[in-house]
Amino acid sequence: LGKNYYHVDNICVKEEYRQQGLGRSLMMYILKEAEEAKRSVRLFVYSENNVAYSLYSSLGFVPIAKQFNVDRSKDYYQMVKI
């Protein structure tokens, strides 16, 4: 409502289906929809999740902030694709 961006909350691919391009395909679909709507896309990714971070970076996402979860046990990046 009134936001100029889409927020991707969670993308999960079951382990036996990983490395087949499913996550990339899902993200490319989201990015296409966002582009048509003239919206940016934002998401959060744990800093330890190198595979996801690499995927998002390869799709043009850039980190805009590094934050900690509530109990400060993990840090994560907020990333955006404009």
Side-chain angles (χ1 to χ4, degrees):
L1 297 171
K3 291 188 178 178
N4 60 353
Y5 64 90
Y6 291 158
H7 176 79
V8 176
D9 187 55
N10 206 350
I11 297 282
C12 296
V13 177
K14 197 171 181 179
E15 192 167 345
E16 62 259 29
Y17 298 108
R18 292 181 187 162
Q19 300 299 314
Q20 296 179 33
L22 298 173
R24 179 174 295 277
S25 293
L26 286 168
M27 288 303 300
M28 289 177 66
Y29 177 81
I30 292 166
L31 293 173
K32 179 179 172 275
E33 292 293 315
E35 183 177 348
E36 290 174 3
K38 298 183 181 0
R39 301 281 195 262
S40 62
V41 180
R42 295 181 183 201
L43 53 82
F44 294 98
V45 61
Y46 284 116
S47 60
E48 65 194 29
N49 191 343
N50 296 324
V51 172
Y53 187 91
S54 293
L55 169 64
Y56 301 140
S57 293
S58 75
L59 293 170
F61 283 84
V62 294
I64 58 172
K66 188 171 184 179
Q67 302 170 329
F68 290 91
N69 64 354
V70 176
D71 68 2
R72 300 188 65 79
S73 62
K74 290 185 179 183
D75 57 341
Y76 58 90
Y77 294 104
Q78 182 178 9
M79 300 183 81
V80 65
K81 163 90 171 152
I82 299 173

